[in-house]
Amino acid sequence: MFILYGVLIGLLVGFLAGGRPAGLAALRIEHGWVMIAGLIVQVVLFSPVAAERVGDLGPPVYVASTAIVAVAILANLRITGMAVVGMGAISNLAAIVSNGGYMPADPGAMAALGMAEPATYSNSAVLTDPALQPLTDIFALPAWLPFANVFSIGDVIIVI
């Protein structure tokens, strides 16, 4: 949910800086439907109903959906800022792949939110010694925010 806050703040800053919604509408995003489809797969995958049933398919579906979103982002590098988004997406993908299809969450960040390790499949998992630990979910939004969650440096790069 960190990225949702970033998008909202970015839209507000863009508007205050003189940008207009017509500018966003004029963007020609190639394979935008692929990005949306990949994100929808993740929303469904991590919904309580699917998370209880996904079993061993969770990690490969998560990796595949993240990878197709990253590829679609890379197909749009001509758009200003998309290279930065791509760096964040690839950072997240590297952490997820290197940890078996899970984005490791720092126990301290999870505790700051009052969250325990998920009981069903989730995009986050508390691992004792995660690979690429600096790229994992090591930060937490303040617990008082709606939709507070943990997030990674890759998410920060995407928001930038």
Side-chain angles (χ1 to χ4, degrees):
M1 289 299 153
F2 173 78
I3 292 175
L4 175 62
Y5 284 109
V7 168
L8 294 174
I9 291 168
L11 289 171
L12 178 63
V13 169
F15 180 74
L16 293 174
R20 297 288 170 254
L24 285 176
L27 281 177
R28 298 293 166 229
I29 299 176
E30 294 180 33
H31 311 296
W33 65 271
V34 173
M35 291 181 214
I36 292 169
L39 295 174
I40 289 172
V41 165
Q42 290 183 14
V43 168
V44 170
L45 181 63
F46 302 125
S47 70
V49 172
E52 291 174 358
R53 293 174 174 79
V54 71
D56 292 341
L57 289 177
V61 169
Y62 184 32
V63 169
S65 63
T66 303
I68 64 167
V69 170
V71 168
I73 289 168
L74 295 175
N76 287 282
L77 289 178
R78 61 177 171 64
I79 298 173
T80 302
M82 199 59 80
V84 176
V85 174
M87 289 184 338
I90 290 170
S91 169
N92 285 344
L93 181 59
I96 293 164
V97 168
S98 67
N99 287 286
Y102 296 88
M103 174 59 93
D106 182 78
M110 294 288 279
L113 293 173
M115 298 172 71
E117 184 170 356
T120 60
Y121 182 69
S122 172
N123 63 320
S124 294
V126 177
L127 303 177
T128 55
D129 190 24
L132 301 178
Q133 191 269 341
L135 302 182
T136 65
D137 285 344
I138 57 175
F139 306 109
L141 285 169
W144 53 265
L145 278 174
F147 311 114
N149 206 341
V150 293
F151 61 98
S152 68
I153 192 67
D155 296 333
V156 173
I157 294 169
I158 289 168
V159 166
I160 290 170

